[in-house]
Amino acid sequence: MRGDMRYGRLLLQRGNPMADPSVSHQNTTVHLLALTELQMARFVRTQCWPEYRATQILRWLYQRRLRRVMDMTDLPMQDRISLSRTASIGRSERVSVLRSQDGTRKVLLTLEDGMTVESVLIPDDTRLTLCVSTQVGCMLDCGFCLTGQMGLKRNLKLHEIIDQVLTAQDLLTSAEHITNLVFMGMGEPLANVETLKAAVAALRNKPWGLGWSRRRITVSTAGLASRLAEVAAMGVNLAVSLNATTEEQRRDLMPAASDIASLKSLLAACRRYPLAPHQRLTFEYVLLSGVNDLPADARRLIQLLKSLRCKINLIPFNEFPGSRFRRPPDEDVLRFQSDLRKAGLDAYIRRSRGRDVYGACGQLGDVSGNQPPVTLTAIESRC
């Protein structure tokens, strides 16, 4: 209860993230990409246009990734002129790409208010995963995550989440296609849950959206236990960032998340989580040298998870300037995995991709300011 009250106060301080979702703070221009299907239908009615115009516009936005209203060629010219006077698409005009030596691409979008949000294209054998952000910064303060050190700047709006996906698609070659979407970028997705649900609905929509299978979409949370049911209702995969095996350890590593939901209440919510026959929960466990990677930690983790249908992704800590944590040696990572597997748990080691451009798990965010300077060279940019 204490954690839910604290979380409620955080939301009140930040305001309603879905209030006036389509309207720019800078002017009164309507961002078309910020409209849900229902909102688009209402918008079309206000223009006194036929109902089918809503689907036409949505297809231009999502399936053809249009950037200019005047290019909607199946709308009458007069309608396009009228629409361009009051509306814009809502795509970012400033995009930079940092390419890692391993092929990972970190995509930086400058938003309308000058803030920057990051997403990451991660190649891995036959898979190409896009890691999407839901906030600028993060409401949580996990010590092993650079984003958490930024604090929360604000929630992303619907068009700013969708734009990450569309922009990533713009960057692909003809031989590439994104196979998986993970909401594991900047921010806590369940702290922006209404906008997240609207984004997932658009991504999964087949008539005008991107037609994504729910099996290919994963939502990660650092432990907002009371909102796990929201993920279940979306029908997508759930990943829980665990990282601790005792309440004391969780409070040290993830103070705000621990305040919202204790380790005990989080795992109880995971046990209640409705899983389809083919589904498993995923637990993310960041390994920190000498902190949570000891044999005793492995034994406790086995006890915590043995009754759950799940898999564990072990993530060796990806270092960033100013952090008090260190990446464990490979032999310690392999030993930890072996201990879990001997106990019958499916444990996998997440390969760190994009570390040289600060695109790996836990590295998204601002590495400037009071921290030691890091040289990142943008190899591609577009205005």
Side-chain angles (χ1 to χ4, degrees):
M1 178 63 71
R2 177 172 58 92
D4 288 341
M5 291 176 65
R6 178 184 183 278
Y7 178 58
R9 288 196 298 271
L10 280 169
L11 288 183
L12 288 172
Q13 290 167 4
R14 294 293 167 182
N16 181 357
M18 287 296 285
D20 298 322
S22 63
V23 179
S24 163
H25 288 303
Q26 306 299 322
N27 50 55
T28 57
T29 300
V30 173
H31 290 324
L32 297 175
L33 199 61
L35 300 178
T36 64
E37 184 175 26
L38 180 60
Q39 290 167 340
M40 183 65 76
R42 291 173 179 167
F43 176 78
V44 165
R45 282 198 296 272
T46 66
Q47 309 301 310
C48 298
W49 292 342
E51 291 183 5
Y52 64 80
R53 191 77 78 223
T55 300
Q56 281 182 306
I57 295 173
L58 288 167
R59 283 177 179 158
W60 280 111
L61 300 178
Y62 285 86
Q63 297 178 357
R64 302 180 188 178
R65 304 196 299 276
L66 199 70
R67 288 181 173 270
R68 295 178 65 251
V69 170
M70 293 302 293
D71 291 336
M72 296 182 181
T73 53
D74 57 358
L75 271 66
M77 177 59 74
Q78 188 57 44
D79 289 351
R80 279 181 270 166
I81 293 172
S82 174
L83 186 60
S84 65
R85 289 172 178 164
T86 59
S88 66
I89 301 298
R91 298 286 304 273
S92 176
E93 297 180 359
R94 295 169 57 193
V95 179
S96 296
V97 180
L98 302 173
R99 185 181 292 270
S100 167
Q101 293 179 353
D102 61 27
T104 298
R105 283 164 283 183
K106 182 161 83 165
V107 185
L108 298 90
L109 285 78
T110 301
L111 308 177
E112 190 176 31
D113 58 6
M115 293 186 182
T116 301
V117 67
E118 303 176 8
S119 54
V120 188
L121 275 166
I122 310 165
D124 187 9
D125 297 327
T126 60
R127 293 161 57 114
L128 181 60
T129 299
L130 177 64
C131 182
V132 181
S133 297
T134 54
Q135 296 180 313
V136 182
C138 186
M139 64 168 280
L140 304 178
D141 54 1
C142 304
F144 48 83
C145 178
L146 178 59
T147 311
Q149 312 310 299
M150 294 174 57
L152 177 62
K153 307 304 181 184
R154 65 173 175 87
N155 283 338
L156 290 180
K157 302 171 189 176
L158 177 59
H159 65 287
E160 294 167 334
I161 294 177
I162 296 297
D163 191 20
Q164 295 173 66
V165 182
L166 301 181
T167 298
Q169 289 181 319
D170 289 341
L171 297 171
L172 302 181
T173 68
S174 58
E176 294 178 308
H177 71 280
I178 300 169
T179 60
N180 298 81
L181 287 173
V182 295
F183 288 93
M184 297 182 182
M186 301 172 71
E188 165 55 57
L190 298 190
N192 192 11
V193 70
E194 294 303 321
T195 310
L196 173 69
K197 288 192 288 187
V200 169
L203 293 169
R204 292 187 57 193
N205 183 279
K206 291 184 178 180
W208 52 260
L210 298 185
W212 276 85
S213 165
R214 59 186 173 83
R215 298 186 182 186
R216 297 291 186 175
I217 301 175
T218 299
V219 171
S220 175
T221 178
L224 273 62
S226 65
R227 291 201 165 176
L228 296 192
E230 306 269 11
V231 182
M234 286 183 257
V236 298
N237 300 309
L238 172 65
V240 177
S241 185
L242 197 59
N243 313 309
T245 57
T246 69
E247 298 289 1
E248 181 181 8
Q249 194 177 64
R250 181 173 167 81
R251 282 193 297 271
D252 176 51
L253 299 178
M254 310 168 68
S258 177
D259 195 29
I260 293 170
S262 67
L263 183 61
K264 181 179 179 180
S265 63
L266 174 59
L267 289 172
C270 289
R271 292 188 181 92
R272 294 191 301 268
Y273 190 83
L275 290 170
H278 68 277
Q279 278 187 312
R280 292 189 294 176
L281 290 173
T282 297
F283 288 98
E284 309 280 352
Y285 193 92
V286 178
L287 289 166
L288 307 165
S289 183
V291 177
N292 67 351
D293 65 340
L294 304 176
D297 295 295
R299 290 193 295 270
R300 286 192 295 266
L301 187 59
I302 291 165
Q303 292 301 311
L304 291 174
L305 302 184
K306 65 180 181 180
S307 63
L308 287 160
R309 194 199 316 167
C310 67
K311 67 175 181 178
I312 302 100
N313 282 339
L314 301 175
I315 307 170
F317 175 60
N318 295 303
E319 297 181 354
F320 55 83
S323 174
R324 64 185 171 103
F325 300 113
R326 292 293 175 264
R327 185 182 182 90
D330 289 347
E331 55 268 27
D332 290 352
V333 175
L334 291 169
R335 186 258 312 146
F336 198 95
Q337 180 194 37
S338 178
D339 289 347
L340 300 185
R341 287 188 165 181
K342 286 176 183 177
L345 294 177
D346 285 336
Y348 305 89
I349 299 172
R350 171 93 63 83
R351 283 197 293 173
S352 296
R353 308 299 297 263
R355 291 170 64 192
D356 54 331
V357 294
Y358 285 90
C361 181
Q363 289 186 322
L364 302 189
D366 185 7
V367 293
S368 61
N370 296 323
Q371 298 173 340
V374 177
T375 301
L376 298 179
T377 303
I379 61 130
E380 180 181 352
S381 63
R382 175 164 51 82
C383 294

